[in-house]
Amino acid sequence: MADKNLAVIMYKKGDLRLEEVPVPEPKQGEVQLQMSSVGICGSDVHFWTNGHIGDFVVKAPMILGHEASGVVSKLGPGVTSLKVGDRVAIEPGVPCRICHYCKDGRYNLCPHVVFCATPPVNGNLSRFYTHAADFCFKLPDHVSTEEGAFLEPLSVAVHACNRANIKLGDKVLICGAGPIGLVNLLTAKSRGAAKVIITDIDEKRLEFASKLGADYTFKVTSRDPAVTAQQIEETLGQPADKAIECSGATPSIWTAIYATASGGCVVLVGLGASTIELPILNAALREVDIRGNLRYANCYPTALSMIASGQIDVKPFITHRFSLEQSLEAFETAKRGEGIKIMINCETK
Ligand code: 572
Ligand code: ZN
């Protein structure tokens, strides 16, 4: 077995390096994984280019990457659920398992969660990595390791659609046609949404959304959220039952509130400014619930079933592929905003 472990490490803002680190040994309940595919997430790029997301500041060198899959290369003590050679998707956040959120099944809210590539925790964009065995999900033979890595962003959408309670016949507004908006589109349609309208300011992203099955695409041109909401309502033929806001842009959150029917729900998935002004009376007096959203809990099995059953096809999302050695080029490509999902293949050549 190789004794070298090439990893993508951000030292500080703007400083990304490919370096060898020690090969980690699996502890009790963990497996060692030979990494297969790792997708680049907006947060990886944001940490690299800004040095922080909100209060999470990169103060020491940190390995990036959290959308990942790998092959079990060693079992730690006590692991019986997996065997060497199993191909798995890695759920990147391991919670404490004992706090009341964990006990209640809402482990995404665990204050002690250890989440890959969220400082000070290392990610898994490396050749070898160790992880809790029960947060690794065995992939069926016909599901690729790229699809395995894609379970991570797909789980974000499964959770967001759970939060919005998307159901059969719903008319759904999705704001933002980036990767997260697009997986929400597929997931909402899978849950039986009758019509999904997706917005963006970028024509190319909307074309992609159309090909993925959006019923309507809407290019936002007006600066006035009330005008945009009115146009969305005219296109849908009625206000949206639910809205999933994936852009984080303030005017888009206003639009989501205005375009949602009384009694409906707006789920905030996109991140933007930490404090903003919102038409809160409009929402309150129409009983439009504004719901928060953090990552996911218990969503990997659903995401895997969606892909394994053929219910959704996420392969078109993967627009760029790089080797681990080409990671710096991959991150530059992501920074330029090119493509939809950039995948890094961590296997040795
Ligand atoms: O794939 C999970 C994921 N979560 C993101 C961003 C990108 N990918 N979140 C946004 C940032 N927050 S955070 O709480 N944080 C940096 C820990 O501000 C987590 C969720
Ligand atoms: Zn992410």
Side-chain angles (χ1 to χ4, degrees), residues 35 47 55 71 78 100 126 136 150 170 186 230-231 243 275 285:
M35 296 303 293
F47 277 125
D55 295 338
V71 181
H100 71 94
S126 53
C136 294
F150 205 85
D170 275 344
L186 292 188
Q230 180 59 35
Q231 291 167 337
T275 59
L285 296 174

Side-chain angles (χ1 to χ4, degrees), residues 64-327:
L64 293 175
H66 61 270
E67 299 181 359
S69 62
V71 181
V72 176
S73 48
K74 217 184 223 186
L75 302 180
V79 176
T80 54
S81 58
L82 292 169
K83 57 183 191 311
V84 170
D86 281 348
R87 297 156 60 255
V88 297
I90 304 164
E91 179 172 345
V94 181
C96 80
R97 306 162 195 269
I98 52 177
C99 73
H100 71 94
Y101 296 108
C102 286
K103 284 182 157 177
D104 201 30
R106 300 184 71 179
Y107 64 81
N108 55 322
L109 303 179
C110 170
H112 312 292
V113 68
V114 172
F115 199 98
C116 289
T118 297
V121 180
N122 277 323
N124 45 25
L125 185 43
S126 53
R127 208 77 87 185
F128 291 96
Y129 168 74
T130 52
H131 201 72
D134 59 329
F135 279 76
C136 294
F137 296 83
K138 189 168 156 44
L139 299 173
D141 290 346
H142 69 285
V143 174
S144 71
T145 51
E146 286 188 339
E147 290 172 309
F150 205 85
L151 293 191
E152 204 282 336
L154 184 55
S155 292
V156 172
V158 170
H159 185 66
C161 288
N162 285 343
R163 295 283 294 156
N165 189 25
I166 304 292
K167 59 179 173 46
L168 207 58
D170 275 344
K171 308 269 172 81
V172 179
L173 165 64
I174 294 175
C175 303
I180 293 301
L182 294 170
V183 279
N184 271 287
L185 158 65
L186 292 188
T187 307
K189 290 298 283 183
S190 289
R191 287 178 68 121
K195 298 284 178 205
V196 176
I197 182 166
I198 187 163
T199 67
D200 208 287
I201 50 173
D202 183 315
E203 204 112 38
K204 277 212 185 98
R205 285 175 160 199
L206 291 174
E207 270 170 39
F208 191 83
S210 223
K211 284 189 194 138
L212 279 181
D215 298 286
Y216 308 106
T217 60
F218 187 88
K219 187 174 175 190
V220 179
T221 51
S222 171
R223 284 168 169 269
D224 183 345
V227 170
T228 307
Q230 180 59 35
Q231 291 167 337
I232 288 169
E233 181 174 335
E234 277 161 20
T235 310
L236 266 183
Q238 62 180 78
D241 298 300
K242 281 105 192 209
I244 302 178
E245 208 302 311
C246 300
S247 78
T250 301
S252 183
I253 304 174
W254 281 66
T255 298
I257 292 172
Y258 285 147
T260 298
S262 298
C265 168
V266 176
V267 175
L268 301 178
V269 181
L271 284 190
S274 60
T275 59
I276 56 167
E277 190 180 316
L278 283 178
I280 207 72
L281 262 190
N282 178 289
L285 296 174
R286 295 193 303 110
E287 296 194 3
V288 171
D289 295 344
I290 298 172
R291 305 198 100 185
N293 192 83
L294 179 66
R295 298 169 177 149
Y296 36 74
N298 297 307
C299 294
Y300 261 64
T302 306
L304 177 54
S305 297
M306 288 164 73
I307 291 181
S309 64
Q311 200 171 15
I312 64 161
D313 180 12
V314 297
K315 289 193 282 293
F317 278 73
I318 303 165
T319 50
H320 295 70
R321 290 181 172 86
F322 294 89
S323 66
L324 185 59
E325 290 81 354
Q326 294 171 318
S327 288

